[in-house]
């Protein structure tokens, strides 16, 4: 394949731990017949972008993006110049055992935007940009066509940038095998919990109980899909009692841990129904203690989930059908020039904030 | 348990094939500690009620019912007098192998309202009402508490009577393992197809293509959940071409055959995506020919479904959440005294008609 | 149904915590049309029989039994007098929500031989024997036909008594969805671990790594199915390293925790392959800490299992096919008169011992 | 990657329909960093090799092969020169939607040894050998490392050549979700039926009823795993009655159609148990008529299967564990020089013949 080198480009660069700068940087990104080039439009700011990494070299941030196709490799048949698209930030090694099994998110050689690759992975390729782990907060990226998805006309580019975090929720709901009418719990009403709540309702749950320490988050959650969400403010009520009472003692059928907290995780087995599936999305700094007794007498299963695989088309279809309206999720907007300010704000955002979006391309 | 004999009661009685009468009839129905007594409020008229059976003795019609609890057996703890309820019309034999496996709908000794029991089943019990196969189009019935379900306050008794046909759709969606965002097809837009369309959308499908010969039915289907349903009028367009085009050549992920027609069934493998699940709900008079080649190169599965098991609570929860609004489904209302007229009408109803409800209790 | 009172009978009675006696006791056991009466032949001694309960009244021990049918209730059609049978010791409440869902092992009102019923369950019935929680170490029992299973001619009554603990393994293997050729680990080579090892191999596993602290147990495990089991002596080798090396770094596909120890449970996520299923069979006194990181990057699931449901016919079929030869499992035999000696021995048995059987009926 | 052109090579060439010749042919096969080169040892003759294709150009036959690695591309880490291997004959397009979903067998661009590529697929690559659809009946092949699998020391190269047809059975058993102890039926005792019988027993089935028109095939099937297989000679007994009687009226839990005959396929719903899964492996020239009534009252599922995906490592592990002894399957051996004779023989082989193997490399 022909290799067209990307020019010097303006980008949001993490120079070293905690030092963020908007500056020009040289990105050496090959373009093959399997790739497309995309002009970036909107980029969401994610929790993981904010708590900074130790780096070996400066790295461009950003992994939740949408944009416009400007060049199409000859092997790519499903896209054309001008298409409005969003991109899956993780690209696995072709034909790796995990890929062939349909679990490409678990591929050990996966490269993921704005994530410094582990030592064992860097040697797998000679691509210098991959060595740095560069993300997408820049004017344009080269990306494999297989991981680039056309947006329907009624899905905006801002919504398109939200497909990445939404995909976490949709993947969890897919793996949870929600049966139509199931009662769900989401513990932790950060952006991931909010999106998972909407995904669970779109996936067949009849009601979601959303637990949080912050009463304001509980209220916001209730407003997302009125009548289908009950906020459970952990300071005001006992969540176990509240959920058991609301379900006539039966408990919740599917549970999504989105707080990233060991106490939140430990509570799940208490309000779980017989045969419930508990999905661990949150990444707790301290590991939870598992109540084996609860897990046995109710035959519970606890399932770890890691990002997503094969759910971008599904999440986009749900956006296109209007079943997951994201307007209430995107609460804050920033210009590209204010990117550093945006990241600073997201370290400790106001309670009303769910997701912030940076507009790389100013309209 | 104490046995309280039901008095002579006014009921819609099928005297013999094609001869229907509203008259008094003697129903000898025991009441045990596991039972409740319910005053019937609304009863839906179903396709199967209309094409009449050969009978050994007169049989009361009706199997889609809601009502008010008037007496509660001592072992029944989840219901009380005055509760608004709907009832599952099929009751399996306790501890039968199918029951223990969670497939009680497949129990060979199942007794089902308004269904003359097969020869092998009649000897299983001494209950005279069971021998007749009586249904629920009468003032009051005795029913096991385990198959009687409380309705939420925001679900009307008319909606409650619709839980039975809705449960057919919800059961199919449960067994189809719809993944969030899947594209669905419903072939046949009769009442079962309409309810299955709504169930599929509530269960995670992003869009439903509804196929019918009747253009009016296609329009009605589109109006059920605007923006999420596309009618496919089989006379105007080629359904295979239409569905493949709409899905960029991929086809549909889940398919519900609700026409009860062998041509409709045979077409399903043509517009199915790789790995699609085809649910056979309709009961075709002529059996379809299965295209094994299609089924192999796309690894399709074709699954027969029979009524429902364990989905009443799930369907009721979806009604309570507002995810399946039934107002557009119940198109016609009749008084109990006009029951025979109602059945006559439903033999060849107007195109606007989806479901008719008889009000046994006049308000 | 007719109620035939059982006479005063000789039985192994737990008088109070730690006090065991073989003596005559009065058992008031009704016989209904759904029941059979069985003369007990062989009874296995189980770990849970040995660590004694706090009791409200004396209780007969024993829950792993086989015998001969001596009386058949009129509703029972699949058994006749003289049939060689084994019995499922747990009987759920008819039509309870768990039963209807096919999860009767999770029924809150389940009565289980030699298990004092919990407070909430005792009031559910007037059966006095149920109130005591009596087991089967006596000459004869009355049991529901639905939970009594005919043994094939080539399965001995001693093997029949082993169906109960084997069912724990078969149920776990069923829930683990073993794919043909999967690599399995069993952690803990007590009787449950040994039987689960055999069940896993019969269920499609290609190889089982059996971990134990006791090198003798590891050797015994290897001898069960030569060439298909590798003992992993936790004192001599690092089990994580050993299993990863043996699987070319991939790890185990299915893992059965049978040690009942939190360290054993915690280790499972370390040698698990991507997408592995970890089945928690053992009941650890101290709860394990769950490594959420491992569970996420490998998308592991951890599933609690509780006894069994719907697996007796399956386990019996596997015994009949010769796929699980139990001769090496039944290591010790006792006469009924030596029952107390047998229990004393099983508190701290010799390393060669796997299962002991008491012969209630001396031949 | 470097491209080393394969020299003129002796091969079994299908010149045109029905004209087979052992002759020298020029194979232009590039070698990339992801490939290995293998000296072919044993090649099985398959039913599909025998009924000849219409061709555009001469094509080398053979797709069931084992051999020795002679060259290893730099990206291939799990193989080394001298390794004894077998190869998966179908190679999908990297990152195609089917591949990413773990269904690479359904990839529309799949290239498969000895299968002329369809028109739409030929343009996908410039590889001339791919355009011809050449198979492996020649001295040496170049193959992607990702589809080349090391054999354990205790698995012979002849057994290795059988992994391909065995994989069809293992894949079907994997998709059938056999529960431990299930009763299976295999209809059609050709090589595929024989291997599927062994795979089903190794995957947890307790017993297999093997149906065939030919009594000799039924006897051979019974001899494969003595005590676990019952031949059902369709001329001597009614298979439906025989299977229902043997299962006390319940029927079979999993059914594998391996006859490739519509009558065999139609019969499956008659002896199926409630909830049974029917796997369509055979490719019938005439399509079967599906009994929808049977499929509904028993909630049967009928699943098409196409070759295999992700089962080579699993099948090889089962061979290594000794759970599928193939010695009785490989009934006939031929030298490479007698290849044409071998194919002629296999058009109408003796009844004792199951599989024939050609030894490309004479020892
Ligand atoms: N598994 C994956 O692939 C994946 C992907 C994305 C994010 N994550 C993880 O998901 C988690 C959530 O992400 P986020 O961006 O929404 O985080 P966030 O920190 O913004 O939100 C967490 C929320 O949990 C609440 N919370 C804290 N302790 C709680 C408790 N004990 N009970 C209930 N609620 C509690 C907080 O008040 C907050 O509202 C993080 O741990 C993140 O690392 C995982
Ligand atoms: N499996 C079960 O448990 C179950 C339960 C209830 C109903 N059913 C069956 O479901 C079917 C549907 O029930 P209903 O009450 O909606 O019936 P209906 O007759 O009212 O509706 C059938 C619809 O299919 C359309 N149709 C006919 N041929 C068609 C074709 N070739 N392609 C597309 N559409 C076509 C008709 O125009 C009509 O609108 C019936 O066969 C019924 O017996 C099955
Ligand atoms: N879930 C259920 O339904 C169910 C049913 C029956 C038994 N059980 C439980 O299963 C467990 C096993 O029963 P058993 O009768 O075989 O018990 P056991 O005590 O005889 O066997 C336990 C074995 O585990 C070994 N072990 C201890 N610590 C270990 C460690 N850290 N790593 C590896 N091996 C270790 C011991 O040496 C011993 O051989 C018990 O906890 C029992 O209560 C559960
Ligand atoms: N789905 C796939 O991926 C796949 C892969 C390989 C082979 N196949 C197909 O599997 C089938 C079997 O392959 P094979 O090589 O074993 O074929 P084969 O022709 O050697 O064997 C077929 C057997 O079926 C028996 N048979 C014929 N009619 C029967 C009937 N009505 N009932 C019972 N038995 C009957 C024959 O006597 C014969 O023994 C073929 O159709 C083949 O094309 C499919
Ligand atoms: Zn993110
Ligand atoms: Zn109906
Ligand atoms: Zn036990
Ligand atoms: Zn083949």
């Amino acid at each position: 394949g022909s290799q067209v080198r990307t020019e010097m480009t303006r980008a949001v660069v993490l120079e070293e731990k905690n030092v963020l700068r908007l500056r020009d940087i040289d990105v050496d990104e090959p373009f093959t017949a399997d790739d497309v080039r995309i002009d970036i439009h909107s980029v969401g700011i994610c929790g993981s972008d904010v708590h900074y990494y130790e780096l070996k070299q400066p790295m461009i941030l950003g992994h939740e993006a949408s944009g416009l196709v400007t060049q199409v490799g000859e092997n790519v048949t499903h896209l054309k110049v001008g298409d409005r698209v969003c991109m899956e930030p993780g690209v696995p090694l072709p034909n790796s055992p995990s890929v062939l099994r349909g679990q490409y998110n678990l591929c050990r050689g996966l490269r993921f935007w704005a994530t410094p690759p582990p030592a064992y992975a860097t040697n797998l390729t000679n691509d210098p940009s991959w060595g740095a782990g560069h993300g997408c907060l820049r004017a344009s990226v080269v990306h494999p066509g297989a991981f680039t998805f056309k947006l329907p006309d009624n899905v905006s580019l801002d919504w398109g940038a939200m497909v990445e975090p939404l995909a976490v929720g949709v993947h969890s709901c897919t793996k949870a095998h929600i049966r139509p009418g199931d009662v769900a719990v989401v513990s932790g009403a950060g952006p991931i919990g909010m999106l998972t709540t909407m995904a669970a309702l779109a996936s067949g749950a009849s009601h979601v109980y959303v637990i949080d320490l912050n009463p304001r988050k509980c209220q916001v959650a209730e407003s997302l899909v009125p009548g289908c969400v009950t906020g459970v403010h952990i300071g005001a009520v006992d969540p176990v009692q509240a959920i058991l009472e609301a379900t006539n003692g039966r408990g919740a059928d599917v549970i999504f841990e989105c707080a990233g907290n060991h106490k939140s995780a430990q509570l799940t087995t208490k309000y779980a129904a017989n045969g419930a599936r508990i999905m661990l999305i949150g990444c707790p700094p301290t590991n939870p203690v598992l109540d084996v007794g609860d897990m046995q007498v109710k035959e519970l299963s606890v399932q770890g989930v890691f990002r997503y695989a094969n759910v971008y088309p599904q999440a986009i279809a749900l956006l296109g059908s209007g079943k997951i309206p994201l307007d209430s999720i995107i609460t804050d907007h920033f210009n590209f020039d204010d990117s550093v300010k945006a990241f600073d704000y997201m370290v400790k955002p106001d309670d009303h904030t769910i997701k912030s979006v940076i507009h790389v391309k100013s309209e």
Side-chain angles (χ1 to χ4, degrees), chain A:
Chain A
S2 62
Q3 302 216 169
V4 181
R5 200 177 165 289
T6 305
E7 298 295 298
M8 201 71 159
T9 182
R10 201 161 186 74
V12 178
V13 179
L14 181 61
E15 304 285 2
E16 55 184 89
K17 194 161 181 271
N18 284 321
V19 182
L20 196 60
R21 212 167 283 151
L22 183 69
R23 63 132 158 130
D24 285 348
I25 183 171
D26 188 26
V27 179
D28 190 7
E29 208 168 41
F31 184 94
T32 78
D34 297 318
D35 290 323
V36 290
R37 190 180 305 275
I38 304 123
D39 270 9
I40 298 294
H41 186 280
S42 314
V43 177
I45 304 184
C46 168
S48 70
D49 289 330
V50 179
H51 78 279
Y52 300 146
Y53 295 101
E54 300 281 356
L55 301 173
K56 293 210 197 95
Q57 55 183 288
M59 180 181 81
I60 303 175
L61 287 181
H63 65 266
E64 310 179 349
S66 63
L68 288 155
V69 174
T70 61
Q71 186 183 359
V72 180
E74 52 187 317
N75 294 342
V76 179
T77 56
H78 69 294
L79 293 172
K80 59 179 195 308
V81 170
D83 278 349
R84 302 160 61 258
V85 293
C86 68
M87 290 79 80
E88 210 171 319
V91 178
L93 290 176
N95 286 347
S96 77
S98 296
V99 168
L100 294 180
R101 285 169 189 265
Q103 308 172 318
Y104 61 79
N105 52 328
L106 310 185
C107 174
R108 296 192 69 214
L110 190 97
R111 37 191 283 188
F112 198 92
W113 278 346
T115 306
Y120 66 79
T122 34
N123 301 329
L124 294 170
T125 168
N126 302 318
D127 177 349
S129 145
W130 160 213
H134 285 324
C136 62
L137 262 165
R138 46 181 159 138
S140 141
V141 297
V142 173
H143 206 64
F147 296 93
T148 305
F149 302 88
K150 197 170 172 344
L151 295 171
D153 292 344
N154 63 346
V155 173
S156 72
L157 285 165
D158 277 8
W159 284 26
M162 292 298 101
V163 172
E164 199 278 337
L166 175 61
V168 173
V170 173
H171 179 62
S172 295
C173 290
T174 306
K175 290 198 70 121
H177 295 293
I178 301 183
R179 285 164 313 195
D182 271 357
V183 170
V185 168
V186 168
S187 182
I192 291 295
M194 297 286 190
L195 287 162
T196 300
T197 297
M198 297 182 93
L201 286 168
S203 304
S206 55
H207 202 86
V208 182
Y209 296 88
V210 177
I211 307 175
D212 207 293
L213 302 167
N214 181 333
R216 185 81 184 83
K217 296 280 179 198
C218 293
Q219 285 164 16
V220 174
E222 289 193 344
S223 73
L224 290 177
V225 188
C228 291
V229 178
T230 302
V232 179
H233 173 209
I234 216 171
V237 294
D238 172 15
V240 177
Q241 205 183 314
I243 292 163
L244 289 178
E245 265 172 28
T247 56
N248 300 313
R250 175 168 158 72
D253 301 301
V254 275
I255 297 160
F256 302 92
E257 204 299 306
C258 298
N261 176 285
H262 71 281
K263 284 188 196 160
S264 156
Q266 284 165 198
L267 222 54
T268 56
T269 64
K270 304 299 170 193
Y271 50 70
N274 276 354
R277 292 130 282 147
I278 299 167
M279 311 306 288
L280 298 184
I281 302 174
C283 310
T286 311
N287 278 321
V289 175
L290 197 64
D291 190 322
V292 174
D294 288 348
M295 288 192 62
Q296 288 179 334
V297 297
K298 299 195 276 191
E299 289 204 335
L300 307 176
S301 77
V302 179
Q303 166 84 56
V305 287
F306 191 59
R307 294 170 182 152
Y308 35 74
N310 295 307
V311 302
Y312 260 61
Q314 313 283 119
I316 292 167
L318 290 170
L319 291 181
S321 74
K323 296 185 83 182
I324 303 183
L326 292 181
D327 287 333
S328 46
I329 293 289
I330 306 175
T331 48
D332 301 82
H333 296 259
F334 293 88
N335 290 329
F336 190 43
D337 289 343
D338 296 330
S339 289
V340 175
K341 211 177 81 183
F343 277 85
D344 287 347
Y345 171 71
M346 287 304 286
V347 173
K348 215 177 156 21
D350 186 272
D351 272 358
H352 86 273
T353 293
I354 304 178
K355 290 291 291 186
S356 286
V357 164
I358 294 174
H359 294 263
V360 176
K361 191 137 213 154
S362 50
E363 286 124 319

